Amino acid sequence: MNSIEYVFQIDAFTPDTLPMARLAEYLTALAKMLGHPEHTHFVRVDEGSAKLVHKVDAVDAPKVENRLNNVRIGSAPKDAMAAKQALETLLANDNAVGSLTETISGRVIIPFAGRDRAKPLSFPPFREDTTVEGQVVAVGGRDSTAHATLQDGDTFHVNLSMKRDIARDLAKLLYGPLVKLHGNGRFERQPDGVWRMLDFRVERFELLDERSIADTLSRVRSVPDNGLMLESAPRDIMALRHDESEDQ
């Protein structure tokens, strides 16, 4: 396979109006998106709208072509997708749109929306009653309000504030059983559309029951005349669940 030449076009600039520092920012992001820096080369800036011409050596041309195709469909490595987002941000800030085109075929490999990309919806932060669960891994604070951190698997709930009397009781459960905190949280919508809890005011907490299903069933069976003493009870429960799933 021969070397491939690409053109990154920026409609808001010409070679005479594109600042050198801005050119460097575009080339840096572009190089990260292409990958394989040892075999990608900046060639020139063509006339008309600013057209950044660059070439990929034959040895890495197939790899770069595959990488760019994955960027287009959103399945490229994180560094390539981050570089594409950086280019989008540069274009939007320059009130420009752009495109990456293969020189020989004229085929647009990746379009860049730039100034035309959808603006994220903006919502003011709000508060609502909610709960968080996890294991207490930190309790402390020097002022009148104490703070705690809960761990739920790989998730850490931080910015949890409470009165000192609640903190004292929670401290006794440090690295112990799972707890559920009840209180009021403040939420904010992030640019990616995900809601993030900024802080949480703890009003009370409760221990979570960590007993297994078998242990729970055994305890229920110990209650006289509960209907679960029969050996067929587990089969009856599974049959009932099966019937419910068919009805849905």
Side-chain angles (χ1 to χ4, degrees):
M1 185 174 185
N2 298 325
S3 62
I4 298 182
E5 191 175 84
Y6 295 99
V7 178
F8 182 76
Q9 181 171 336
I10 310 167
D11 75 340
F13 292 113
T14 68
D16 294 331
T17 61
L18 178 58
M20 186 169 66
R22 201 58 158 176
L23 171 62
E25 291 184 78
Y26 276 108
L27 289 177
T28 298
L30 188 59
K32 291 179 180 179
M33 187 178 72
L34 293 168
H36 308 280
E38 67 278 9
H39 292 293
T40 57
H41 313 279
F42 173 62
V43 179
R44 62 186 181 276
V45 179
D46 277 353
E47 293 294 330
S49 297
K51 300 175 181 178
L52 315 187
V53 182
H54 48 287
K55 182 182 70 173
V56 181
D57 293 336
V59 63
D60 274 343
K63 297 176 184 178
V64 171
E65 185 176 30
N66 182 64
R67 181 179 171 96
L68 292 177
N69 285 333
N70 288 333
V71 168
R72 186 181 68 252
I73 63 178
S75 62
K78 289 183 179 180
D79 62 328
M81 298 306 301
K84 179 183 182 295
Q85 185 59 43
L87 288 168
E88 288 280 18
T89 299
L90 286 169
L91 289 166
N93 291 341
D94 290 334
N95 195 33
V97 295
S99 62
L100 182 69
T101 304
E102 188 181 76
T103 302
I104 295 179
S105 66
R107 180 170 63 97
V108 175
I109 306 299
I110 303 173
F112 292 84
R115 64 171 179 265
D116 294 335
R117 65 181 179 178
K119 301 295 188 297
L121 295 176
S122 178
F123 297 92
F126 70 94
R127 304 199 68 93
E128 73 171 5
D129 292 340
T130 186
T131 61
V132 294
E133 299 178 3
Q135 182 186 52
V136 182
V137 295
V139 180
R142 297 182 178 181
D143 54 19
S144 59
T145 301
H147 304 273
T149 299
L150 259 60
Q151 181 179 1
D152 182 10
D154 294 330
T155 301
F156 287 85
H157 299 293
V158 297
N159 296 326
L160 311 177
S161 62
M162 66 205 71
K163 294 180 179 179
R164 285 192 168 189
D165 57 339
I166 297 178
R168 280 194 298 269
D169 292 336
L170 273 181
K172 300 173 185 177
L173 304 174
L174 190 66
Y175 302 116
L178 299 180
V179 299
K180 175 183 285 189
L181 306 183
H182 298 262
N184 187 270
R186 183 164 66 98
F187 297 86
E188 182 179 66
R189 190 176 190 272
Q190 304 299 296
D192 59 4
V194 175
W195 286 94
R196 175 170 170 260
M197 188 170 68
L198 303 178
D199 65 68
F200 182 83
R201 300 170 184 168
V202 181
E203 297 172 355
R204 60 185 178 87
F205 72 90
E206 63 178 304
L207 294 178
L208 293 180
D209 190 348
E210 299 184 80
R211 289 176 296 184
S212 67
I213 294 177
D215 186 32
T216 301
L217 186 59
S218 176
R219 288 171 179 264
V220 173
R221 280 176 170 170
S222 66
V223 179
D225 302 323
N226 58 70
L228 292 176
M229 296 296 291
L230 301 175
E231 291 296 328
S232 62
R235 294 194 298 273
D236 294 340
I237 293 174
M238 295 302 297
L240 180 59
R241 287 182 176 177
H242 178 71
D243 292 341
E244 290 177 347
S245 63
E246 288 184 344
D247 293 338
Q248 294 178 351

